[in-house]
Amino acid sequence: MSGGHNVIEPNGAACYCGQSGCLETVISGKGLERFYTEQSGRVLPLPEIVALAANNDLHAQATMARMSHYFGIAVAQIINVLDPDVIVIGGGVGNIDALYQQAEQAILPHLFNGELNTLIVKPDLGDSAGVFGAAALVKSVVVN
């Protein structure tokens, strides 16, 4: 999903792009870690927060609920405007299985037609998908 600098929380944290409440500041790994720290007073990496959520840590669960809520809003905006068949989620947050398990529940309330027909998937190449795509593009330009 492109669009890390689309505003999804208008009064949210300042982003380095000059806006506030961008997707990047709200549900990126760093954004979720910052939220967890604000809630708990503890500084932890996202994989540990995800594990704590599964073990009933209330602050970690609130962090995952925030991720799911804003993910639903962001993805629904894309679906409402473009109506894609598939959305591939990249980045570190895209590796969190709970994101996909909760996707339909998070997206549906924000859809215009109330029906989710778009597949939400992980990239086959993991976090390196963008690098492989760029290399393929350079190769196709150089060869042609």
Side-chain angles (χ1 to χ4, degrees):
M1 173 173 71
S2 181
H5 296 286
N6 288 325
V7 175
I8 60 170
E9 187 180 42
N11 296 318
C15 182
Y16 63 86
C17 76
Q19 299 186 93
S20 294
C22 293
L23 185 64
E24 183 70 23
T25 63
V26 177
I27 64 168
S28 67
K30 294 293 179 198
L32 292 169
E33 290 169 354
R34 181 178 53 254
F35 179 81
Y36 179 80
T37 299
E38 290 168 357
Q39 299 300 305
S40 70
R42 298 171 54 199
V43 178
L44 295 175
L46 188 55
E48 288 185 37
I49 296 168
V50 172
L52 285 172
N55 288 316
N56 298 320
D57 177 291
L58 295 180
H59 300 299
Q61 288 177 335
T63 302
M64 295 298 97
R66 178 179 176 81
M67 174 192 70
S68 181
H69 172 73
Y70 282 109
F71 174 78
I73 291 171
V75 171
Q77 290 174 352
I78 293 168
I79 294 170
N80 287 337
V81 172
L82 300 175
D83 193 22
D85 293 325
V86 127
I87 295 177
V88 180
I89 306 299
V93 172
N95 292 319
I96 299 173
D97 290 333
L99 192 67
Y100 304 94
Q101 295 161 358
Q102 301 166 4
E104 185 170 1
Q105 177 183 335
I107 297 166
L108 274 174
H110 309 286
L111 288 180
F112 174 73
N113 68 3
E115 187 176 310
L116 181 60
N117 296 314
T118 303
L119 293 175
I120 311 297
V121 300
K122 288 182 180 183
D124 287 341
L125 300 173
D127 290 343
S128 300
V131 173
F132 285 110
L137 179 62
V138 168
K139 182 179 177 184
S140 72
V141 170
V142 171
V143 170
N144 294 329

